[in-house]
Amino acid sequence: MAAGDPDGSVPEAAVPGQRILDLLDKAIALQSPLVRKNIARARQRNPEATPAQVIRNLERMYVSALTGTGAAVGGAAAAPGVGTGVALALSAGEALSSLELSALFALSIAEVHGVRIDEIERRRTIVMGIMLGGSGSATITKVAERTGQHWGRQVVAKVPLQTLRQINKILGKHFITKYGTKQGIIVLGRVAPFGIGAVIGGGANAALATLAVRAGRRAFGPPPTSWP
């Protein structure tokens, strides 16, 4: 029985991996109000850009930012004299930054496609589904049973909230496994020679960003031909 918990239940915070899901919710909450500013930034060089052009800019911005974040942390963690505690702290900070960038990317893509996501549960589905790549798409399609070809649109319009909670429970388990492993790789950069750590961190993030970009294209399909 857990101390201070007379019924023997395990507090939510004690569940292994719950911290990464808490960070995800924090990232979604922080980035949701910034979606339109992010889209405006992607359009600033060409105010007349089509939705397809803006999406390509959003993809490039995301891959570049995420790769740079991973390389910076990997390099710093591998620097001479950096202890385990500092490396772990760097990795924890990078985890939130990565999640924020990914949440902003996923929600921005949805906005360009005209998909408004008002409920936190639906935001979780969109963000985790895109960040998990093909496995996320497969899980959503299987559990929802009727999402059609482009699940990103169907999740908002047709899937009941109770079904979304079931989807997010499964996605959450996959998310903990994938991103717990990813952060472990970045921490390992601490023991690599300086410079190699940056390659490890940047390479891991670049691979994840590329998968998320492809998943975003599958989730929403072809961009709109014009703005709403």
Side-chain angles (χ1 to χ4, degrees):
M1 184 177 296
D5 201 351
D7 63 358
S9 61
V10 179
E12 185 177 22
V15 176
Q18 181 60 40
R19 182 173 176 278
I20 194 69
L21 295 180
D22 291 341
L23 284 175
L24 175 67
D25 280 348
K26 182 177 180 181
I28 291 173
L30 289 172
Q31 298 305 310
S32 293
L34 303 179
V35 166
R36 293 191 178 183
K37 289 184 178 180
N38 191 43
I39 294 171
R41 182 185 169 205
R43 297 181 68 177
Q44 65 183 0
R45 291 187 179 180
N46 180 13
E48 303 302 319
T50 65
Q53 291 172 323
V54 169
I55 287 175
R56 288 296 298 156
N57 285 341
L58 289 170
E59 292 172 348
R60 283 193 289 265
M61 287 161 53
Y62 170 59
V63 172
S64 176
L66 200 62
T67 302
T69 298
V73 172
V82 174
T84 303
V86 175
L88 289 171
L90 286 169
S91 184
E94 196 272 344
L96 180 57
S97 296
S98 295
L99 291 175
E100 287 182 357
L101 288 169
S102 299
L104 183 60
F105 168 71
L107 296 175
S108 296
I109 295 298
E111 181 80 13
V112 173
H113 278 274
V115 178
R116 301 294 174 84
I117 310 170
D118 297 325
E119 296 173 332
I120 181 61
E121 209 68 53
R122 299 186 192 278
R123 291 176 187 164
R124 288 190 187 113
T125 307
I126 291 291
V127 174
M128 284 195 291
I130 287 177
M131 291 185 72
L132 287 170
S135 64
S137 300
T139 296
I140 294 168
T141 301
K142 181 177 180 180
V143 178
E145 296 182 344
R146 55 171 183 165
T147 58
Q149 184 178 4
H150 304 304
W151 63 263
R153 298 177 181 276
Q154 304 297 327
V155 160
V156 174
K158 298 181 180 180
V159 178
L161 196 57
Q162 186 59 38
T163 302
L164 281 177
R165 292 193 179 102
Q166 296 174 12
I167 291 171
N168 288 346
K169 185 175 181 180
I170 298 171
L171 290 178
K173 293 177 181 178
H174 296 326
F175 196 82
I176 289 168
T177 299
K178 181 169 183 176
Y179 283 87
T181 301
K182 179 258 186 183
Q183 290 306 313
I185 290 172
I186 290 179
V187 173
L188 285 177
R190 179 184 61 84
V191 299
F194 186 67
I196 295 179
V199 174
I200 293 172
N205 275 14
L208 290 169
T210 299
L211 288 175
V213 166
R214 292 173 182 169
R217 294 173 183 173
R218 287 195 301 269
F220 295 104
T225 55
S226 61
W227 295 98

